[in-house]
Amino acid sequence: MTQIGLRDRKKVRTRRVIEDVALRLFAEQGFDATTIDQIVSEAEVSPRTFFRYFATKEDVVLADYSEQLDDILEDLSSRPFQETPWESMRAVFRTMASDPGRRSKMLPRAQMMANAPSVFARSLQLQAGWEIQLATALRARSGDKTDEISPALMAAAALGIMRAAIRRWSEQANDIDLPEFVDECFDRLNKGFGS
Amino acid sequence: MTQIGLRDRKKVRTRRVIEDVALRLFAEQGFDATTIDQIVSEAEVSPRTFFRYFATKEDVVLADYSEQLDDILEDLSSRPFQETPWESMRAVFRTMASDPGRRSKMLPRAQMMANAPSVFARSLQLQAGWEIQLATALRARSGDKTDEISPALMAAAALGIMRAAIRRWSEQANDIDLPEFVDECFDRLNKGFGS
DNA sequence: CAAGATTCTGACAGTGTATGTCAGTTGGCA
DNA sequence: TGCCAACTGACATACACTGTCAGAATCTTG
């Protein structure tokens, strides 16, 4: 009567092992200095198996990045409809920045991205995908169906804010309260930069 | 009395040959389907030489991307000082979008980026570098020396606008006047998205 | 519970990008 | 003319990633 079969349990276990070993090695010797061979030999799987779980070496670092977008979209859809799209986004991103579990993963990841250009590049690529989906979601919420470009601008601006805020925060994490800082950035951008 | 030596002339010539051959092959068979071996055998140089001129295969497509930033910074520095930073940027980017020579290169490049994810990723990486430099330049122009974050937000917003605008423009180049469209986007973002 | 279908895995081979090294050549320059 | 520096090609190599295929493990059905 096992709901989840042994096969699926093994899958998540293998994935976890690879992820744990890889992240540990990355932390110990750096991302670039760590090879797939090293990871798989410590994780006791074949190189081929690694790529069945992760499309690229970079994706191990950014494993939970995709889930993050799902959370954003879900939170967004549960915001009250009378709210403006911008306000909804501000609230969603503020909430996200407040989650301690999420924040604890953010710092090491930010550090890794700063030292490994390929990881940084991959994260930008993923975020570009988010931007499109986010814009689509905003467009669906918007009252003005003829305005095609504002949602795109809002999505681009929001993600740009998050990047800038997280970068600044990761450089001096002690001095800054991330949720408030994000809030302030959203506010400042919405007030414009003078005409 | 040759100002520029034969050696340097050969260098630019070699670079041009590689670039021309590569871009032609990319257009003919696609970016991913073209190998370095193909390029260098047609250009009659060794594979090693290719990488002396271009760090990555992607960089051939984005060859004049770096110059673009220099132009932006230069144009920015020659704007009148009484202008707000945002206004200056709007003018600079509008001017850039008006240059027909630049625009003619933009369309095929946008197409290439749409079909070759690695080229797109590389362009995002380069733009991230721009963002930092642009923010620094804006900070230098700003009157308020205590405000560290606004320049970063402005830079992120401006580049985000350009990406969104160019994407939209490249999808339907005939229907949109790019300079005006860019202008409108800058305007709309600066007016905020409602409180 | 046995047998077949399905899925996961490892082993092997191969492609393509990118880098290190080093000797040979070529252009700059006194 | 001859020395110095830069450019180049010819190796050799590392590493990420993909295709294939047979065998093992798990699930499923009679």
Side-chain angles (χ1 to χ4, degrees):
Chain A
M1 260 300 251
T2 40
Q3 290 279 33
I4 300 166
L6 174 57
R7 186 168 277 168
D8 286 325
R9 262 180 295 156
K10 263 196 178 174
K11 265 170 75 174
V12 295
R13 200 174 115 269
T14 307
R15 192 190 167 89
R16 266 214 95 78
V17 171
I18 294 175
E19 195 177 329
D20 289 347
V21 169
L23 289 180
R24 180 170 55 75
L25 288 175
F26 292 160
E28 282 174 14
Q29 4 170 323
F31 181 83
D32 290 322
T34 305
T35 66
I36 307 274
D37 277 346
Q38 256 183 306
I39 298 169
V40 298
S41 79
E42 287 213 26
E44 292 180 318
V45 295
S46 79
R48 200 66 189 81
T49 299
F50 177 93
F51 289 106
R52 287 206 184 85
Y53 285 93
F54 299 96
T56 70
K57 201 173 89 173
E58 288 76 21
D59 281 7
V60 182
V61 181
L62 307 169
D64 36 21
Y65 238 45
S66 309
E67 310 165 21
Q68 216 155 332
L69 172 65
D70 294 338
D71 290 351
I72 291 173
L73 293 179
E74 199 185 316
D75 288 4
L76 195 64
S77 70
S78 66
R79 299 292 310 176
F81 270 105
Q82 60 267 30
E83 231 175 25
T84 65
W86 186 255
E87 267 307 305
S88 301
M89 277 211 299
R90 192 170 80 142
V92 167
F93 281 102
R94 192 207 159 96
T95 306
M96 199 170 66
S98 307
D99 180 4
R102 221 185 281 278
R103 253 209 326 262
S104 68
K105 286 182 180 176
M106 268 163 73
L107 208 53
R109 192 163 50 205
Q111 246 172 309
M112 196 98 78
M113 293 198 303
N115 301 334
S118 65
V119 178
F120 180 59
R122 180 74 173 143
S123 82
L124 290 176
Q125 203 179 359
L126 293 175
Q127 283 183 41
W130 297 7
E131 198 177 306
I132 293 174
Q133 293 188 56
L134 191 54
T136 305
L138 289 174
R139 213 166 277 131
R141 281 180 76 88
S142 163
D144 183 359
K145 298 299 178 196
T146 65
D147 188 357
E148 289 274 322
I149 192 68
S150 284
L153 292 179
M154 278 193 272
L159 292 177
I161 284 175
M162 285 306 285
R163 275 195 300 274
I166 290 174
R167 179 167 57 225
R168 194 162 178 70
W169 171 77
S170 68
E171 284 166 2
Q172 34 183 307
N174 301 330
D175 301 352
I176 295 177
D177 179 61
L178 189 58
E180 273 192 36
F181 188 55
V182 168
D183 225 30
E184 189 196 332
C185 289
F186 268 85
D187 226 39
R188 194 166 315 184
L189 193 118
N190 199 42
K191 282 180 182 150
F193 300 108
S195 57
Chain B
M1 260 304 248
T2 39
Q3 289 280 35
I4 300 166
L6 175 57
R7 183 166 277 167
D8 287 325
R9 262 180 294 157
K10 261 195 178 173
K11 266 171 73 176
V12 295
R13 199 174 115 267
T14 307
R15 192 190 167 89
R16 267 213 94 78
V17 172
I18 295 174
E19 196 176 329
D20 289 347
V21 169
L23 290 180
R24 180 170 55 75
L25 289 175
F26 292 161
E28 282 174 14
Q29 4 169 328
F31 181 83
D32 290 321
T34 306
T35 67
I36 308 273
D37 277 344
Q38 254 184 308
I39 297 169
V40 297
S41 79
E42 286 213 27
E44 292 180 320
V45 294
S46 78
R48 199 69 189 78
T49 299
F50 177 92
F51 288 106
R52 285 205 186 84
Y53 285 92
F54 299 96
T56 69
K57 202 173 89 172
E58 288 76 22
D59 280 8
V60 182
V61 181
L62 307 169
D64 38 20
Y65 236 45
S66 309
E67 310 164 23
Q68 217 156 331
L69 172 65
D70 294 337
D71 291 350
I72 291 173
L73 294 179
E74 200 186 316
D75 287 4
L76 196 64
S77 70
S78 65
R79 298 293 310 176
F81 270 105
Q82 60 267 27
E83 232 176 25
T84 64
W86 186 256
E87 267 307 305
S88 302
M89 276 210 300
R90 191 171 81 142
V92 167
F93 281 102
R94 193 206 158 98
T95 306
M96 198 171 68
S98 306
D99 181 4
R102 221 185 281 277
R103 254 212 322 265
S104 68
K105 286 182 180 176
M106 269 163 72
L107 207 54
R109 191 163 51 207
Q111 246 171 309
M112 196 99 76
M113 294 198 304
N115 301 336
S118 65
V119 178
F120 180 59
R122 181 74 173 144
S123 83
L124 290 177
Q125 204 179 359
L126 293 175
Q127 283 183 41
W130 297 9
E131 198 177 306
I132 292 173
Q133 293 189 55
L134 190 54
T136 306
L138 290 174
R139 214 166 277 130
R141 282 180 76 88
S142 164
D144 183 358
K145 298 299 177 194
T146 64
D147 187 358
E148 290 273 322
I149 192 67
S150 286
L153 292 180
M154 278 192 271
L159 292 177
I161 283 175
M162 285 306 285
R163 274 195 300 274
I166 289 175
R167 179 168 56 226
R168 193 162 177 71
W169 170 76
S170 68
E171 283 166 2
Q172 34 180 309
N174 301 329
D175 301 351
I176 296 179
D177 179 61
L178 188 59
E180 273 191 37
F181 188 55
V182 168
D183 225 30
E184 189 197 332
C185 289
F186 268 85
D187 227 38
R188 193 166 317 183
L189 193 120
N190 199 42
K191 281 180 182 151
F193 300 108
S195 58

